Amino acid sequence: MSLLFSVGYCIVSVFGMSLDESPADVKEWDYRPADGAVAERTPPAFSWRPCEGAESYVLQIGKGHGFKKLVYEKSDIPWPAHCPPVVLEPGAYVWRYAAVDAAGQSSPWSHVRRFQIPADAAALPQPEVADLLQRMPESHPRLFFRPEDIPCLKELAHGALHERWETLLAKADGLIDEPPDTTEPPKYPEGMVRKSGEWREIWWGNRRRMIAVVDAAATLAFVYRITDEVEYGDAARDLLLAFAAWDPNGATNYQYNDEAAMPALYMASRAYSWAYPVFSDEDRAVLVEVMRERGRQAFEHLHGHHHLWRPYSSHSNRAWHFLGELAIAFHGEIPEAGEWLDYAMTVFYTAYPVWGDADGGWHEGTGYWSSYIGRFMYWAYVARAAFGIDVFERSFFRRTGYYGMYVLPPGSETGGFGDQAARVTSARIAPLMATLAANARNPHWQWYAEANGAELPGGYIGFLYAARASGLEAEPPAALPSSACFQGNGLAVMNTNLLDGKENVQVLMKSSPFGRQSHGFNANNAFVLNIGGQRALCSSGRRDIHGSPHHTEWMWHSRSDNAILVNGQGQIKHSAAATGEIRLFDTSPTVDVAVGEAAASYENLERWTRRIVFLKPHVVLIHDLLDAPEPATFQWTLHAPGRFELGENAASWTGDAGRVSVRFLEPGELVLTQNDVYEPPPATWTGWDLGEWHLAADAQACAPHREFITLIEVDQEQVEADVERTMMGRAKVTMALPEGEAEVVLGKEGFKVRYGEFRKKY
């Protein structure tokens, strides 16, 4: 009998290794493809639980139900993830893996998992590193453009892109006249309180200082490469060498301040590759040493935290492709560059994007979607130039622009759920939409960019994007439904007008299978109501700094959302385990329906089904069904940018967006209270007066089961509404709307909607 003891993720025997194949938890990427999965691409991406004692892994793929007919075998895989470089034909397959230690001893094979490849699976094999290196230019430049692209870029600078070029040239001249401060950023003073205003000034200030230097170097290097004027190249060299004099283990160390460290990974790499001819051998040796250390820090953070198995760290989801740019620029000079490139490509092919799926949504919300996809577009252009890889072959990238378009129709001033999303506008995401349109060749996204008066970004990035763009005729999405559901990240978006946000009434409901983790922390089954592109019934609070008391104790708490508290308690805070699900979504020109389930988000609830029936354009009916394991009190919470007027089982709000009235048709005799107090408020150094008010409708009597039926009316006189309980206990709600009578029959397990010609049973 072998002796076993635990080491990390695996079980080690004195006679060899045994795999730990315990199920993945909610923070882990899981075994992929899962047993019985139907792959949407061929080959599928494979991932498995990492084994700390493993030096490498072996993957086998068999045709049919066994391994007598191997269609693919790969040994010496350095990561617990792999995407084969070959296309697998449609059919049934099995796969398994084994771990190998430093002595060459192998574990037994893993459990066998089955998967299917359908006939319509997209072909997306991952090229081997040797193939990538063969495609990549041996000489410089390597990032965004190749040596053979330079004549075309020069021609565009003096022709079609002359105006952009003159602006960029003026910026470069200004940087020569007034270069950025190159003194080394400071560390935090001893005793400084983390997350304080003073701490933030240094933390974010050091990021700005890093960007000022390395982005200026990249700008000058790009202008040098196009003009061949050494003055610009020398100025880029001086800035890069000044940056290289900073201690890479000091204030801009990756572990100390990753926001300051990350820009160095890719901006300095661009400057190096673009200005390569101006550097002496001594210069290159200095820069290689510094960038090797900075790359090592990023790689060790990513790999050391098992990013391929636990890929839900927000910052790491940009760090991997920043490391990829560094690996390309310094290949042949940094010994580990090939390993880092392989790692970055493996992340891309097996574990990215993590926050959405084929429908293009993004769990973290529009603020982080626009920020992270905007940065990812760097990688899209780099991968195309260096390797001929088109990321838009992925279904996510072919769909993701619709996420921005539906949540933020043109003219919208607020972006729904997620960190910073309340302040995201359609104008802000429009340059990204223009970039996505140019790459995906999507006329709807081009229309969106033009409708917001946006163009591609400025600077050298905008010049390079414009150089790759070609004429794309815009087409308004008039034939599309006005509403959509992004099932993968649990977001139902109900609009009355997709073409003009200023004429739109919008209801959003979130119930995410990703839970409440990362920047998508809002309560599941929460909703918001926007009128004319402005906030009306909203999520409350504003992030002063990530992880501050206001952020963690107010915004991460369910009481800050339009949700429900049980015995005064909210959902599990900021947790991947607090999951929800959009179980039903239906849309038509006159009626939208969304149903969410969020009981798993609570520790004291067995059911919370929220049904939203949007009778367009003015009436929203919300039905909440709650079951607790023992009698409990339930509080229905609501927030708005201004004070409510309270009535008997009713409240109303009037603001810049319009007027909203809320009637609680059931239960009766609710206790309604409101205040404008945050517990705790944003930090005093912000100086903010958010002006939001918080309403609670409290069903004070304890009960194991509770239903709320709530009628919300937008910009209209109060309609006649009546609730009648049928013999079967169903609630029949009749409403005399200006557009005609509506009837909604609500049962515990199903419901019916009748409104004009719309008649459906769910």
Side-chain angles (χ1 to χ4, degrees):
M1 180 181 294
S2 63
L3 301 175
L4 302 177
F5 56 95
S6 175
V7 178
Y9 285 109
C10 63
I11 304 298
V12 177
S13 162
V14 295
F15 299 110
M17 299 170 57
S18 297
L19 299 175
D20 173 5
E21 292 186 82
S22 56
D25 67 31
V26 291
K27 295 181 179 180
E28 296 172 337
W29 194 230
D30 213 343
Y31 301 90
R32 298 178 185 232
D35 193 22
V38 177
E40 68 172 29
R41 50 188 259 207
T42 176
F46 295 84
S47 68
W48 52 87
R49 183 179 291 281
C51 183
E52 190 172 309
E55 186 75 10
S56 63
Y57 300 91
V58 182
L59 172 68
Q60 285 187 344
I61 304 172
K63 182 77 170 175
H65 301 288
F67 296 92
K68 289 184 178 179
K69 184 178 180 182
L70 281 179
V71 295
Y72 183 77
E73 182 174 26
K74 173 71 173 174
S75 59
D76 296 325
I77 299 171
W79 329 113
H82 182 69
C83 180
V86 294
V87 171
L88 302 181
E89 298 299 320
Y93 293 88
V94 290
W95 72 280
R96 63 185 181 182
Y97 70 95
V100 181
D101 66 17
Q105 289 187 308
S106 177
S107 72
W109 288 108
S110 69
H111 294 119
V112 175
R113 293 174 172 87
R114 300 164 295 116
F115 66 95
Q116 292 273 344
I117 294 182
D120 60 351
L124 291 168
Q126 177 182 338
E128 294 181 308
V129 172
D131 182 16
L132 294 174
L133 297 178
Q134 199 168 35
R135 301 182 194 184
M136 190 175 75
E138 288 188 18
S139 59
H140 292 270
R142 295 175 182 166
L143 298 175
F144 289 89
F145 59 101
R146 305 165 67 93
E148 59 265 31
D149 296 327
I150 294 174
C152 178
L153 293 174
K154 289 183 175 182
E155 183 179 337
L156 288 169
H158 296 95
L161 300 183
H162 178 69
E163 189 173 326
R164 278 183 177 272
W165 174 251
E166 289 299 317
T167 302
L168 185 56
L169 197 60
K171 182 178 180 180
D173 290 336
L175 289 170
I176 289 178
D177 293 339
E178 295 185 34
D181 178 11
T182 59
T183 57
E184 184 165 359
K187 281 194 165 187
Y188 308 118
E190 187 174 348
M192 173 166 281
V193 178
R194 184 173 171 81
K195 305 292 185 181
S196 65
E198 296 78 11
W199 180 92
R200 185 186 187 282
E201 280 298 312
I202 296 176
W203 168 70
W204 200 249
N206 285 357
R207 176 183 185 273
R208 291 196 189 101
R209 292 180 63 178
M210 174 66 81
I211 290 174
V213 173
V214 293
D215 193 48
T219 298
L220 290 161
F222 180 74
V223 171
Y224 157 72
R225 185 58 84 169
I226 303 305
T227 62
D228 294 319
E229 295 182 19
V230 177
E231 179 186 21
Y232 297 109
D234 287 344
R237 170 191 173 276
D238 291 345
L239 288 176
L240 265 195
L241 290 176
F243 147 75
W246 297 355
D247 181 4
N249 291 300
T252 60
N253 172 276
Y254 193 97
Q255 282 68 34
Y256 193 80
N257 184 345
D258 63 351
E259 285 288 10
M262 283 190 283
L265 297 175
Y266 63 102
M267 291 180 176
S269 297
R270 295 168 188 175
Y272 182 76
S273 187
W274 295 344
Y276 190 81
V278 305
F279 299 112
S280 67
D281 290 343
E282 292 77 10
D283 295 338
R284 292 185 188 123
V286 169
L287 291 167
V288 164
E289 181 182 0
V290 167
M291 296 305 288
R292 184 182 186 185
E293 173 58 23
R294 291 189 176 276
R296 183 196 62 77
Q297 292 171 9
F299 173 73
E300 288 189 357
H301 177 83
L302 289 163
H303 188 44
H305 286 78
H306 297 296
H307 180 72
L308 286 163
W309 182 247
R310 294 186 169 183
Y312 298 110
S313 168
S314 187
H315 286 196
S316 294
N317 277 301
R318 50 187 151 117
W320 69 263
H321 56 83
F322 297 161
L323 179 65
E325 286 199 47
L326 187 155
I328 293 169
F330 286 91
H331 188 269
E333 296 177 281
I334 293 179
E336 298 88 352
E339 180 185 24
W340 298 345
L341 176 60
D342 183 41
Y343 184 82
M345 295 302 289
T346 300
V347 172
F348 174 60
Y349 275 92
T350 67
Y352 190 88
V354 300
W355 298 123
D357 61 3
D359 62 18
W362 195 260
H363 164 74
E364 293 184 302
T366 51
Y368 276 75
W369 171 78
S370 58
S371 173
Y372 275 64
I373 295 300
R375 291 182 176 105
F376 176 80
M377 289 310 300
Y378 305 155
W379 183 250
Y381 282 86
V382 166
R384 180 179 295 156
F387 310 123
I389 293 171
D390 182 3
V391 306
F392 283 83
E393 292 179 351
R394 294 268 195 95
S395 53
F396 171 85
F397 294 104
R398 292 199 305 271
R399 293 285 307 167
T400 194
Y402 288 113
Y403 172 69
M405 187 175 78
Y406 273 94
V407 178
L408 286 152
S412 297
E413 299 292 326
T414 184
F417 296 108
D419 250 340
Q420 313 286 46
R423 297 184 295 141
V424 175
T425 67
S426 62
R428 175 175 156 183
I429 72 166
L432 171 60
M433 293 289 281
T435 305
L436 293 171
N439 283 273
R441 309 297 300 157
N442 188 303
H444 293 155
W445 306 350
Q446 181 66 27
W447 164 84
Y448 185 97
E450 294 177 7
N452 285 282
E455 296 180 346
L456 294 167
Y460 63 81
I461 285 292
F463 186 92
L464 288 164
Y465 286 5
R468 296 290 187 268
S470 57
L472 176 63
E473 188 173 342
E475 178 187 335
L480 297 183
S482 61
S483 304
C485 181
F486 297 90
Q487 193 75 40
N489 70 302
L491 183 68
V493 187
M494 295 169 271
N495 295 310
T496 60
N497 193 325
L498 185 60
L499 302 180
D500 186 353
K502 294 186 181 300
E503 299 296 324
N504 187 35
V505 178
Q506 181 186 64
V507 181
L508 302 174
M509 181 170 75
K510 173 209 168 176
S511 205
S512 175
F514 289 101
R516 304 185 62 209
Q517 64 180 311
S518 191
H519 298 285
F521 53 77
N522 296 100
N524 287 313
N525 275 8
F527 77 94
V528 297
L529 170 68
N530 301 317
I531 306 172
Q534 299 183 61
R535 297 192 309 157
L537 303 178
C538 60
S539 297
S540 65
R542 178 176 171 185
R543 190 181 84 185
D544 41 14
I545 190 169
H546 187 276
S548 72
H550 175 69
H551 194 219
T552 60
E553 298 303 319
W554 180 264
M555 297 181 71
W556 291 1
H557 197 291
S558 305
R559 62 187 171 177
S560 69
D561 286 310
N562 301 326
I564 289 179
L565 307 181
V566 183
N567 291 329
Q569 300 300 308
Q571 299 177 4
I572 305 166
K573 280 201 317 180
H574 202 240
S575 170
T579 57
E581 180 186 4
I582 301 291
R583 290 193 169 172
L584 171 68
F585 178 79
D586 194 13
T587 182
S588 77
T590 57
V591 178
D592 285 343
V593 173
V595 178
E597 177 55 50
S601 295
Y602 294 80
E603 294 178 327
N604 55 355
L605 208 57
E606 295 174 340
R607 178 184 186 181
W608 177 23
T609 304
R610 169 162 275 180
R611 300 164 174 167
I612 295 182
V613 180
F614 187 12
L615 304 170
K616 301 178 186 179
H618 299 299
V619 174
V620 181
L621 183 70
I622 302 178
H623 182 213
D624 295 298
L625 296 129
L626 299 116
D627 289 320
E630 56 188 33
T633 62
F634 299 90
Q635 300 83 34
W636 206 93
T637 60
L638 197 63
H639 307 267
R643 190 181 186 114
F644 294 93
E645 293 181 18
L646 303 185
E648 185 176 348
N649 253 41
S652 63
W653 171 86
T654 303
D656 293 340
R659 184 177 186 277
V660 179
S661 66
V662 181
R663 277 185 283 168
F664 297 97
L665 305 181
E666 284 191 0
E669 300 182 354
L670 292 169
V671 176
L672 270 59
T673 57
Q674 68 170 323
N675 62 58
D676 62 349
V677 177
Y678 300 93
E679 300 177 6
T684 54
W685 55 262
T686 65
W688 294 339
D689 179 10
L690 301 183
E692 296 166 342
W693 282 71
H694 324 297
L695 180 147
D698 196 337
Q700 292 189 316
C702 286
H705 173 76
R706 178 67 69 185
E707 294 186 41
F708 290 87
I709 302 176
T710 310
L711 188 66
I712 300 175
E713 298 156 276
V714 179
D715 285 340
Q716 68 173 13
E717 296 299 321
Q718 184 169 298
V719 302
E720 292 184 19
D722 180 65
V723 181
E724 174 189 349
R725 283 286 172 176
T726 69
M727 299 257 320
M728 301 294 292
R730 299 185 181 96
K732 183 168 74 171
V733 184
T734 55
M735 294 158 280
L737 306 182
E739 294 81 6
E741 185 178 85
E743 179 183 274
V744 182
V745 180
L746 302 165
K748 288 187 178 181
E749 304 305 326
F751 61 104
K752 296 187 294 186
V753 181
R754 177 178 61 81
Y755 182 43
E757 295 183 0
F758 184 94
R759 297 168 184 268
K760 278 199 177 180
K761 181 178 180 180
Y762 300 97

